[in-house]
């Protein structure tokens, strides 16, 4: 069947198989930042934003995304300028192998849009579903806290 | 190297010892298609494996006729289609210390998940359907699922194939055996005031890296067999593929792109032979990506080990004897069997170097369970759990503070241990003196951070909850001395930038960045002038690969040497160009400057002249390095736990680790290695429990059933680095990648005891077990 998907502001007409998941369709369209790690809604690596809210694309039917705005991490950098969360990850070493980063960055972006000054507790809670096996989480939590500090937010030490 | 030089070097770092951003950082944070499975290769077939559903069986018949009828299925290969060449998947240097006990496909299967047939199809769906449609008839054999039963009289023999080479005693399922003794154990025990013997058991662990293993193979336009793979060891992969398929090494190219985590789990040659077999048969590109359950149950896991430790000491806590007898479970195949077992001793026993007698012995046995392999720590965490906790128990029985006992018996700068010489990896080791050791500073910092003096032995209670603290100290190595080789090539461009070609394999550890920093330091340019290209067997020089904490030390020294050679050539040319004697010249800020006359030439000017008009020559150099020693990093860790006495629930309130890794070449990346390894150790201690069914099938093969730590699962994690200067390392550096995983299990076990008086001697620790032990204590 044919489907219309709006990804990062671009409209794609795409042929999909019945029951195909959004993850597979996005990767086929070239959005390789959407990563499959578990394929059963338990790691967060395949997170994309659907109308600004994080969803797991490995268990979301592609068909469900029609008529909604999908964002992947490819949309965060604009004209060579990184999103603050990306910049901050580079500084704190929050991207080791980097495989988990797209899911992490999108979830963090959604969190910051909803709650610009999250406490460490709130950060941990919001990102609990995004597994990372490399970093021990600390550098990624620091990456978010540093942005809020820069904005003059509360210190959470 | 003299001390004066060291101090001088320490003070004038321009590029190393700085937390610069990773050279691949932007591509990672912007989600570029950099991993194996992101590469689009037109026309690639999807490869999947038919896997055994029995733990131990002989294949009677494989019927592929129905599967081949499925539209899109291109070929199905079984053991009959492949040459029968025994090998090891281990991915080690040559000759490998692991037995050749594996075939790409065999007529016998030895664990649930063992490959039976290779299916290749035009679509993933067709490949999946075909896997189900292949009918395999088995003659099911008795299986060995408990490693303590493996050598018993009536245990079935797992490796009865006559072609296997290098198995210690196949008839008793013993893959490897090791024993060594220094001094006289029995005599020295008699002179001890206190002797205790305890048994500690560490269960296995999954690597659980986020990127599932992936490989792609194809013939390039010139007919070269090319393999893109998520491997930690591209050069070993090439060598092994060459032997398995009888293709000259020079006709194979292995490329490692970015890797989504390895931790040892991508050292073995897991997928490459299967895609290559398909490409050779069909002449078409082939792609294989594991799904999560395959990553869990059909790659490698950690060696389960059990040690019985006897420690003898004087009444004031001087340790005089250590005797460790162990049993390790290598599963269906003997990958890293001997070497991980030896590391359990060689990377723990030298810590307690004041002993008069020491013995280490035991067997590594086969079972019909998934094959164990390399995993961060590589046996050291299992050995340390047993050794550290036995010493902890001994100290408490003597009425002494266990931290004091560990502190005063442990190795210090300028000291040595006979173990260094006797135990290497798979063979003898190398004599060495510990030239850099800031273990004491690590202990002091950690002790203050956890509040040891205020909390130890206090059992602070809050309702049904009680708190306790525990400590553990550890060491590791930096590469395998006299075995691991790294090499680097540096060539100069006319704009004053340099290409650094490296065999070394960055797994996400940041090694590409650190290597650029080393070259930049020698050449006195900013690190972004060093353009790194790594891990491509056609284009980069050899490197053994990323394992055994070797990259910073071994490959780093190779980079430093190559950069020094390039610098020397630049100075020679500049001397002619500036008409100044060589000894007047130095490099500084991407220029050659005369200290006498002040005349100078920029790299850019010199480089351009050298390419086009003046004394034309490509400046380039290749250097190799093999470690003469394997300088250990050191670590002191502290855990504070809170146990609910009514449920046995264990909360990790705080975990503190301070490490001495020499000069941290990139402090942020080094700290990241320590934090990541520590979290993996915490997960293993508290949540990560592998469970098998009665049939030997791994039941915990996804993230629901095998829980790795998430952000809400721990209290505070405090990691820090204590600078030392390792004179044999590049700019004073030692390794940091593995050591953090060694201490969480013993430190947490000791903290649980401090809180509850219950000794848990089997890891991971679970609430149920602790609860029942607490009940027993109360009775
Ligand atoms: S791949 Fe979707 S949650 Fe893991
Ligand atoms: S950085 Fe490797 S999984 Fe997060």
């Amino acid at each position: 069947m044919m489907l219309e998907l709006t990804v990062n502001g671009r409209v794609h007409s795409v042929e999909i198989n019945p029951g195909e998941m959004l993850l597979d369709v996005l990767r086929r369209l070239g959005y390789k930042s959407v990563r499959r790690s578990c394929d059963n809604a338990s790691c967060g690596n395949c997170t994309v934003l659907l109308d600004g809210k994080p969803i797991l694309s490995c268990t979301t039917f592609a068909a469900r995304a029609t008529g909604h705005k999908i964002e992947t991490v490819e949309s965060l950098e604009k004209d060579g300028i990184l999103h603050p969360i990306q910049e901050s990850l580079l500084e704190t070493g929050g991207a080791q192998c980097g495989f988990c980063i797209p899911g992490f960055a999108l979830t963090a972006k959604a969190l910051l849009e909803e709650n610009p000054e999250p406490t460490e507790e709130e950060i941990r809670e919001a990102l609990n579903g995004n597994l990372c096996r490399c970093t021990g989480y600390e550098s990624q939590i620091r990456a978010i806290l540093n942005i809020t500090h820069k904005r003059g937010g509360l210190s959470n030490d | 190297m003299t001390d004066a030089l060291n101090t001088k070097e320490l003070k004038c770092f321009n590029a190393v010892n700085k937390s610069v951003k990773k050279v691949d950082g932007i591509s990672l944070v912007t989600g570029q298609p950099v991993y194996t499975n992101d590469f689009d290769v037109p026309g690639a077939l999807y490869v999947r494996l038919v896997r055994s559903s029995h733990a131990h069986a002989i294949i009677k018949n494989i019927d592929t006729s129905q599967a081949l009828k499925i539209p899109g299925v291109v070929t199905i290969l079984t053991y009959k289609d492949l040459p029968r060449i025994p090998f090891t998947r281990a991915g080690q240097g040559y000759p490998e210390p692991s037995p050749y006990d594996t075939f790409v496909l065999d007529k016998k299967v030895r664990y649930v998940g063992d490959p039976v047939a290779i299916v290749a199809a035009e679509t993933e769906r067709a490949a999946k359907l075909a896997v189900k449609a292949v009918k395999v008839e088995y003659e099911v054999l008795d299986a060995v699922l408990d490693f303590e039963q493996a050598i018993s009289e009536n245990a079935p023999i797992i490796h009865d194939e006559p072609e296997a080479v290098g198995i210690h005693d196949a008839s008793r399922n013993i893959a490897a055996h090791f024993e060594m003794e220094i001094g006289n154990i029995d005599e020295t025990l008699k002179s001890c005031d206190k002797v205790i013997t305890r048994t500690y058991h560490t269960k296995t662990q999954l690597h659980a890296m986020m990127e599932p293993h992936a490989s792609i193979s194809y013939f390039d336009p010139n007919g070269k067999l090319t393999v893109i793979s998520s491997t930690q060891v591209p050069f070993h992969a090439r060598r092994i593929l060459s032997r398995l398929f009888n293709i000259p090494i020079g006709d194979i190219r292995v490329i490692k792109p970015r890797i989504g985590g390895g931790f040892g789990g991508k050292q073995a040659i897991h997928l490459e032979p299967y895609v290559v077999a398909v490409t050779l048969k069909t002449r078409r590109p082939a792609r294989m990506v594991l799904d999560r359950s395959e990553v869990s149950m059909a790659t490698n896991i950690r060696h389960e080990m059990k040690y019985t430790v006897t420690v003898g000491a004087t009444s004031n806590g001087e340790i005089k004897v250590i005797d460790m007898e162990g049993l390790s479970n290598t599963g269906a195949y003997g990958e890293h069997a001997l070497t991980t077992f030896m590391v359990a001793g060689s990377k723990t026993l030298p810590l307690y170097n004041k002993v008069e007698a020491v013995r280490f012995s035991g067997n590594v046995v086969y079972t019909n369970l998934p094959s164990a392999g390399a995993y961060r720590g590589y046996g050291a965490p299992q050995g340390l759990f047993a050794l550290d906790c036995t010493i902890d128990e001994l100290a408490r029985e003597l009425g002494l503070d266990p931290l004091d006992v560990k502190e005063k018996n442990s190795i210090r700068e300028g000291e040595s241990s006979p173990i260094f010489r006797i135990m290497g990896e798979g063979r003898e080791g190398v004599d060495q003196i510990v030239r850099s050791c800031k273990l004491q500073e690590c202990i002091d910092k950690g002790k203050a951070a956890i509040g040891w003096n205020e909390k130890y032995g206090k059992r602070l209670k809050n309702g049904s909850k009680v708190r306790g603290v525990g400590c553990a100290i550890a060491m590791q190595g930096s590469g395998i001395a006299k075995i691991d080789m790294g090499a680097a090539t540096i060539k100069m461009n006319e704009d004053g930038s340099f290409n650094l070609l490296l065999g070394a394999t960055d797994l996400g550890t940041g090694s590409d960045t650190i290597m650029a920093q080393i070259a930049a330091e020698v050449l006195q340019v900013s690190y972004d002038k060093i353009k790194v290209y790594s891990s491509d067997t056609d284009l980069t020089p050899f490197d053994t690969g990323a394992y055994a904490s070797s990259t910073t030390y071994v490959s780093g020294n190779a980079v430093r040497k190559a950069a020094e050679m390039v610098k020397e050539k630049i100075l020679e040319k500049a001397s002619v160009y500036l008409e100044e004697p060589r000894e007047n010249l130095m490099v500084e800020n991407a220029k050659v400057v005369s200290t006498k006359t002040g005349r100078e030439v920029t790299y850019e000017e010199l480089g351009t002249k050298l390419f086009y008009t003046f004394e034309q020559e490509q400046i380039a150099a290749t250097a190799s390095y093999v470690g003469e020693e394997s300088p250990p990093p050191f670590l002191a860790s502290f855990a504070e736990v809170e146990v609910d006495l009514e449920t046995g629930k264990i909360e990790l309130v705080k975990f503190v680790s301070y490490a001495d890794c020499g000069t941290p070449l990139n402090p942020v990346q080094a700290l990241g290695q320590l934090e990541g390894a520590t979290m993996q150790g915490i997960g293993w201690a508290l949540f990560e429990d592998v469970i098998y069914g009665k049939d030997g099938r791994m039941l915990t093969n996804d993230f629901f059933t095998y829980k790795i730590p998430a952000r809400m699962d721990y209290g505070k994690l405090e990691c820090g680095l204590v600078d030392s200067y390792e004179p044999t390392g590049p700019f004073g550096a030692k390794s940091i990648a593995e050591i953090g995983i060694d201490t969480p299990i013993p430190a947490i076990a000791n903290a649980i005891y401090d809180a509850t008086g219950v000794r848990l001697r089997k890891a991971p620790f679970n609430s149920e077990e602790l609860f029942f032990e607490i009940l027993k204590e109360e009775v």
Side-chain angles (χ1 to χ4, degrees), chain B residues 656-728:
Chain B
V656 177
S657 268
Y658 275 87
D660 157 15
C661 64
T663 306
L665 296 180
N666 185 319
V668 156
Q669 302 303 332
L671 193 65
Q673 287 298 305
L674 181 59
E675 287 173 349
T678 307
M679 189 57 71
Q680 256 177 352
I682 291 170
W684 188 15
L686 293 176
F687 320 109
E688 300 181 28
D689 198 4
V690 172
I691 298 168
Y692 299 101
K694 283 201 172 59
D695 57 355
R697 178 182 300 272
M698 185 187 288
L699 302 175
T700 49
N701 58 17
D702 60 29
F703 292 133
F704 290 114
T705 49
Y706 184 80
K707 182 168 166 33
I708 66 170
R711 289 177 181 76
M712 306 280 283
D713 292 325
Y714 64 100
K716 273 207 168 325
L717 175 63
E718 176 180 330
C719 291
L721 304 172
V722 174
D723 265 38
S724 72
Y725 194 91
E726 170 54 42
T728 66

Side-chain angles (χ1 to χ4, degrees), chain A residues 26-48:
Chain A
L26 287 173
R27 283 190 65 87
R28 208 164 66 228
L29 287 172
Y31 300 97
K32 298 286 171 79
S33 72
V34 192
R35 308 256 158 79
R36 184 195 323 271
S37 178
C38 72
D39 214 25
N40 71 356
S42 57
C43 76
N45 282 213
C46 64
T47 302
V48 297

Side-chain angles (χ1 to χ4, degrees), chain B residues 233-248:
Chain B
V233 290
F235 286 91
H236 296 337
R238 180 177 69 162
R239 187 193 75 234
I240 291 164
L241 288 172
S242 159
R243 184 171 156 264
L244 288 176
F245 296 101
N246 195 23
I247 302 171

Side-chain angles (χ1 to χ4, degrees), chain A residues 17 24 27 30 32-43 45 73-74 76-77 82 85-87 89-102 104-105 120-121 123-142 156-157, chain B residues 19-22 24-26 28-35 37-40 124 205-212 258-261 263 292 375-376 507-509 668-669 671-673 675-677 679-680 683 688 702-704 706 708-717:
Chain A
N17 301 318
D24 296 286
R27 283 190 65 87
K32 298 286 171 79
S33 72
V34 192
R35 308 256 158 79
R36 184 195 323 271
S37 178
C38 72
D39 214 25
N40 71 356
S42 57
C43 76
N45 282 213
V73 99
E74 280 93 346
L76 290 194
E77 176 220 313
L82 298 177
I85 184 67
Q86 294 174 309
E87 198 58 66
L89 279 168
L90 292 178
E91 271 160 34
T92 63
Q96 282 188 23
C97 79
F99 199 80
C100 67
I101 293 302
F104 171 85
E120 175 166 347
E121 223 17 60
I123 294 172
R124 285 193 184 203
E125 235 182 281
L127 285 148
N128 198 45
N130 290 81
L131 296 181
C132 169
R133 190 58 156 170
C134 298
T135 61
Y137 299 119
E138 291 292 294
S139 52
Q140 297 183 340
I141 295 170
R142 278 196 292 273
N156 291 277
D157 297 338
Chain B
S19 292
V20 301
K21 294 175 188 169
K22 281 173 53 145
D24 53 348
I26 290 183
L28 298 183
V29 300
T30 56
Q32 299 303 307
V34 292
Y35 305 95
N37 193 34
D38 297 341
F39 287 73
D40 285 325
E124 199 176 353
Q205 184 186 20
L206 306 186
H207 300 80
M209 71 292 275
M210 288 298 120
E211 179 207 26
R258 296 291 98 191
I259 297 193
F263 319 116
R292 180 54 54 187
Y375 196 148
R376 193 180 220 168
L507 311 179
T509 50
V668 156
Q669 302 303 332
L671 193 65
Q673 287 298 305
E675 287 173 349
M679 189 57 71
Q680 256 177 352
E688 300 181 28
D702 60 29
F703 292 133
F704 290 114
Y706 184 80
I708 66 170
R711 289 177 181 76
M712 306 280 283
D713 292 325
Y714 64 100
K716 273 207 168 325
L717 175 63

Side-chain angles (χ1 to χ4, degrees), chain B residues 187-397:
Chain B
E187 282 303 307
T188 321
L189 278 176
K190 281 185 208 147
S191 70
C192 293
D193 302 321
K194 178 90 194 167
V195 175
I196 68 166
T197 299
R198 296 289 185 273
T199 299
Y200 279 86
H201 180 179
T202 326
K203 291 172 71 183
T204 186
Q205 184 186 20
L206 306 186
H207 300 80
M209 71 292 275
M210 288 298 120
E211 179 207 26
H213 304 61
S215 283
I216 300 172
S217 67
Y218 56 91
F219 285 107
D220 79 1
N222 297 316
K224 169 163 283 189
L225 180 65
T226 307
V227 181
I228 304 175
S229 193
S230 60
T231 177
Q232 295 178 219
V233 290
F235 286 91
H236 296 337
R238 180 177 69 162
R239 187 193 75 234
I240 291 164
L241 288 172
S242 159
R243 184 171 156 264
L244 288 176
F245 296 101
N246 195 23
I247 302 171
I249 283 184
D251 292 344
I252 305 174
R253 176 180 181 191
V254 178
I255 299 168
K256 176 225 70 123
R258 296 291 98 191
I259 297 193
F263 319 116
K266 288 171 180 165
Q267 181 173 349
I269 311 305
H270 293 293
L271 273 59
E272 296 87 346
Y274 303 107
V275 286
V276 166
V278 169
T279 293
L280 291 178
K281 171 82 194 291
T282 62
R283 315 301 289 178
R284 288 182 59 178
R287 169 194 303 267
M288 182 170 173
V289 183
L290 296 188
D291 61 30
R292 180 54 54 187
S293 69
E294 291 176 294
V295 172
S296 304
M297 63 192 275
T299 57
N300 278 148
I301 59 175
R302 194 190 279 282
H303 288 83
E304 170 185 27
M305 294 187 192
K306 196 166 185 174
Y307 286 95
T308 297
V309 186
T310 299
V311 179
T314 62
S315 55
N316 59 1
E318 282 166 34
I319 300 173
K320 296 176 79 173
V321 181
I322 300 176
D323 184 6
M324 289 178 78
E325 213 225 309
L327 184 68
S328 168
N329 181 0
T330 192
Y333 300 96
E335 288 148 37
H336 303 265
L338 174 63
T339 38
T340 48
F341 187 70
M342 289 179 75
V343 164
S346 69
K347 300 284 190 275
T348 57
L349 292 169
L351 251 187
Y352 297 104
N353 67 332
K354 319 266 181 306
V355 293
E356 288 167 24
V358 52
R359 181 161 62 192
F360 186 87
S361 62
N363 291 320
V364 187
V365 295
Y366 289 113
T367 57
N368 293 110
L369 293 172
S371 182
Y375 196 148
R376 193 180 220 168
Y378 204 75
Q382 298 96 310
L384 190 73
F385 176 36
L387 179 58
D388 186 280
C389 288
T390 307
I391 292 173
D392 211 90
E393 291 199 50
L394 173 104
R396 286 174 186 266
E397 289 194 15

